[in-house]
Each structure stands twice: as C-alpha cells, then as structure tokens.
Amino acid sequence: MLESLIAPLSAALRVAEPSRTYDFRLFFQVRNLPLAEFRALLDALRNEPRLEIFDHARQGSQSIDHTFLLHWMISRGQQVGAEQVVSDLERYLSVEELEVTEYLLVEGLSLSTSFSFDGFRLVPWNEIPDSDTKYHFVARQGLLSSAPEMAVSRTRTISRRHTRPWDATFFGWTTSSIEAIQDVLLCAAVVSRAGAQLLGFWVIPPDWAPWKATESQFGVNRSRSAFREMLNGPALENLASVHHGWQHRSANEKQRLRLPMERLNSSLLNQFPMVDSAIDLGIAYE
C-alpha cells in the first residue's frame, strides 16, 4: 500500500504554487527541488519499490521519471487532495490497460454540434473537454493566427506499459497511429469539397492516471489556407456513409486510394500560386 506517500505529498501541496502539469511555474519550482518538501516527496517516490517502473522509463513514446510523477501528483493533488491522488496511483498500478481519447485538431472544417459514427466523433473546438493538454496547446498557439475549429476524436484502449532502455521494445513501441483518424478527413474532403489542414494531435489519458499525454503540433503551410466549411446535417450523413464504405475496403485498396484523396484535399485548400491546386486536382482525378 502507498499510504506512506500521503504525508509527504500533503506537505508538498502546502508549499506548491497553484499550477497545472504543463505550467512552467510548476516546472521551474520543482526542477531544482529547492524546497525540502519537494525533496522529501521525491525521496519517498524513489524509495517505494512499486514505483520503480517510473525510473527512467518510457510510456509509449514519452520519456518519464520520478520527477514526472512528482509533477503529476502535485497537479492532481491541487484538484482532489493527497489521499485521492494516492488512491488514483494505487488504481493505476492495478490495471493492465487504459482507455484514452485521441484528438486530431484541424482548421477548415467546422460543425455546430458533435457528430458520431463508426467509432469516431467530430467535435467542435469549444466542446473538447478542458485538460492540461488543451491548456498547453492554447498557450503555445497564442501568437499564431491558426486556431482549431474542430477535432476528430476516438476512444481506444492501450496497454499500461512502461518500457526501459534495456527492453527490446524500448525504441520501437508507440501508442498511437493517426492514419485511421486522417482517413475520416479524407472522406470529408470527398463529401464536402473542402480541404482541412492538420494543426495538432494529442492523446488524453484518464484524469486519475499518471500517464504522460502524447502531444504534437504540425507545421502549418501558410501558403495554403483552408476555407471555412460548415458541415451540416446532410453532409454529415453522407460522410458517415462514405466512411462506412471506406472501412470495408481492403488495406491495399485504402493504400492505393489515399494518394489521390490526399491530393484532392490539398487541391481544395486555397493555394498560391493557383497552378499548385490545379496540379493536385489533376493528380487526384487521374
């Protein structure tokens, strides 16, 4: 049992600045462990045999250590208290799998309310639940002109697996592939005649799990701006129908069709010079 962590975590919470996991205030406050309360909590984490799995390990593609766990415990503790954090950590250690939600953020397509089909969900930006990851994304996007209008999301189960440098799978194992989510957007280009640009991707774990969220942002080509296209009821129903048919195609057929569909999506973006759009459209129709 991990009850021995409640006292040092409670002490650390009393001196920690109100913050979130991704907030740099907490990062710099914890980084050099200047406070005795932080050092005591980190020592307690390192001395707990069941938490050895956090020692210089990797969750999927993300590197972690006991300092990451300390960050998470303080951030989570400021929301729910020390005892609940320890209970959450016990729960995490007892499960073999986690249910995570993936979000692929786009500009160019929008909708007024969420729409679900084939295990995927189109979500307006303002309906994406608040999380540390969303908070961080917004902070990083603050000086950029692009803002997500919607996201394609799905929920799936991943292995709660920590790998170490000496494991054969340390460098080869990842938790996420966005190809299936991108296919939804390719089908949307066919239906809506509007292109979409990818802005970012993240994976959100359950709030009780000390799993390092996967986050990435895509370089946006400003010579290709997306028109704003609202997906209405008929378009959404057509998208669901087209995607349902797509899922029944073989892997070889999908691979063969992705290139022209990607070119179609590219041609529907407002490109300069326009000849680039024409070339992409010609390739799409070949």
Side-chain angles (χ1 to χ4, degrees):
M1 303 296 287
L2 302 175
E3 285 90 346
S4 61
L5 298 178
I6 295 177
L9 175 57
S10 298
L13 288 173
R14 285 193 289 270
V15 299
E17 292 186 20
S19 189
R20 305 183 70 152
T21 302
Y22 275 116
D23 198 314
F24 286 116
R25 285 181 301 165
L26 178 60
F27 173 80
F28 285 116
Q29 190 184 14
V30 170
R31 184 177 61 171
N32 296 320
L33 299 175
L35 300 178
E37 292 84 354
F38 289 169
R39 294 196 299 272
L41 176 56
L42 186 61
D43 287 343
L45 298 179
R46 288 172 172 167
N47 291 330
E48 170 53 55
R50 295 176 63 198
L51 301 181
E52 191 265 344
I53 63 171
F54 286 92
D55 184 22
H56 294 91
R58 180 174 289 183
Q59 295 170 330
S61 60
Q62 301 293 304
S63 297
I64 59 166
D65 54 22
H66 286 111
T67 303
F68 158 74
L69 181 58
L70 183 147
H71 275 233
W72 177 84
M73 293 180 72
I74 292 176
S75 180
R76 176 70 171 158
Q78 290 176 339
Q79 302 172 48
V80 300
E83 291 188 5
Q84 184 60 51
V85 170
V86 173
S87 177
D88 290 341
L89 189 53
E90 286 276 12
R91 179 182 179 184
Y92 178 79
L93 295 175
S94 70
V95 301
E96 297 296 328
E97 296 179 327
L98 296 173
E99 189 174 81
V100 300
T101 303
E102 300 174 330
Y103 289 94
L104 182 62
L105 311 176
V106 302
E107 69 166 349
L109 298 174
S110 62
L111 69 167
S112 59
T113 188
S114 298
F115 181 76
S116 300
F117 60 96
D118 293 339
F120 296 90
R121 186 166 174 248
L122 306 184
V123 190
W125 170 252
N126 59 6
E127 290 188 21
I128 297 176
D130 289 336
S131 66
D132 283 353
T133 317
K134 184 177 181 181
Y135 169 84
H136 189 221
F137 184 88
V138 172
R140 291 180 63 181
Q141 290 288 104
L143 299 177
L144 302 179
S145 59
S146 298
E149 296 170 81
M150 59 162 258
V152 184
S153 74
R154 68 172 175 177
T155 299
R156 69 190 189 97
T157 299
I158 63 173
S159 172
R160 183 201 63 80
R161 184 177 183 183
H162 291 211
T163 55
R164 310 297 287 279
W166 50 85
D167 292 336
T169 57
F170 183 70
F171 292 102
W173 185 72
T174 59
T175 61
S176 303
S177 171
I178 66 172
E179 186 174 68
I181 307 179
Q182 287 179 296
D183 288 344
V184 173
L185 296 175
L186 296 180
C187 292
V190 173
V191 170
S192 67
R193 304 291 177 169
Q197 286 216 86
L198 309 183
L199 298 182
F201 173 77
W202 70 59
V203 178
I204 298 182
D207 55 7
W208 52 266
W211 182 272
K212 195 170 186 178
T214 301
E215 178 196 7
S216 59
Q217 291 179 282
F218 302 101
V220 178
N221 184 351
R222 280 293 140 227
S223 68
R224 306 193 306 171
S225 60
F227 293 104
R228 302 303 189 263
E229 178 71 20
M230 175 70 74
L231 297 176
N232 56 25
L236 291 172
E237 294 297 336
N238 288 339
L239 171 56
S241 177
V242 169
H243 186 266
H244 187 69
W246 172 264
Q247 285 196 311
H248 285 81
R249 292 183 177 273
S250 68
N252 287 339
E253 285 181 302
K254 290 179 181 179
Q255 191 63 33
R256 189 177 70 253
L257 289 171
R258 281 191 183 103
L259 177 58
M261 292 171 74
E262 289 168 357
R263 291 290 189 158
L264 174 63
N265 181 79
S266 180
S267 72
L268 294 171
L269 298 172
N270 185 19
Q271 297 189 69
F272 300 96
M274 290 299 291
V275 66
D276 292 340
S277 291
I279 293 172
D280 282 334
L281 186 61
I283 294 174
Y285 280 111
E286 282 184 356

